[in-house]
Amino acid sequence: MLIMTSKSQTKPQTPEQLARLEKQRLAKIEGAQALAQVDKEYVDVRRNMERLKALRLAKEAHDAANPPPVEPKKKKAAPKKLAIVKATEPEAVTGE
C-alpha cells in the first residue's frame, strides 16, 4: 500500500521557508482585521446616512406643516423725474 504525503512533511523546512510561512500567516490575520475594519466603517457610514435622512425628512415635514409667514412686498419707489430747465438767455444754451 502506497501512502502519499505532502512535501512539507517529508522534508524539514528551512528558516527561510518558516519565515515566509509566518509572514503569510500574519498577512492573512492583518487582512482579516482590515476587512473587519472596512465593514465596521461601512456600517457606521450607513447608520449616519440614515440618521441624517431622518433629520432631513423631519425638517421637511415640519417646514411643510408650518410654512414661514409671508411678508407683504414693499412697493418700489417711483422713479425720479428729471427736471427740465429752460434757458432764457442765448449764452446758457451755447455754453459760452
Side-chain angles (χ1 to χ4, degrees):
M1 183 164 167
L2 183 62
I3 300 175
M4 297 187 72
T5 59
S6 69
K7 288 184 178 182
S8 63
Q9 292 177 352
T10 58
K11 278 186 173 179
Q13 293 183 341
T14 65
E16 292 84 16
Q17 290 173 332
L18 291 174
R20 182 174 174 219
L21 289 174
E22 181 64 16
K23 189 174 180 181
Q24 288 176 347
R25 185 185 69 81
L26 291 175
K28 186 183 251 186
I29 292 171
E30 290 173 0
Q33 289 173 346
L35 286 177
Q37 179 66 27
V38 168
D39 288 342
K40 180 186 177 303
E41 289 173 2
Y42 175 76
V43 169
D44 291 343
V45 167
R46 295 297 298 177
R47 187 176 295 132
N48 191 37
M49 286 173 56
E50 290 173 6
R51 180 184 65 85
L52 293 174
K53 182 178 180 180
L55 288 173
R56 179 178 49 85
L57 292 175
K59 182 183 182 304
E60 288 175 357
H62 179 268
D63 290 346
N66 302 322
V70 178
E71 296 181 16
K73 293 183 179 180
K74 295 181 181 178
K75 293 183 179 179
K76 292 184 178 179
K80 294 182 181 179
K81 293 184 179 178
L82 298 175
I84 299 175
V85 179
K86 294 183 179 179
T88 54
E89 298 182 14
E91 66 233 13
V93 174
T94 59
E96 295 177 5

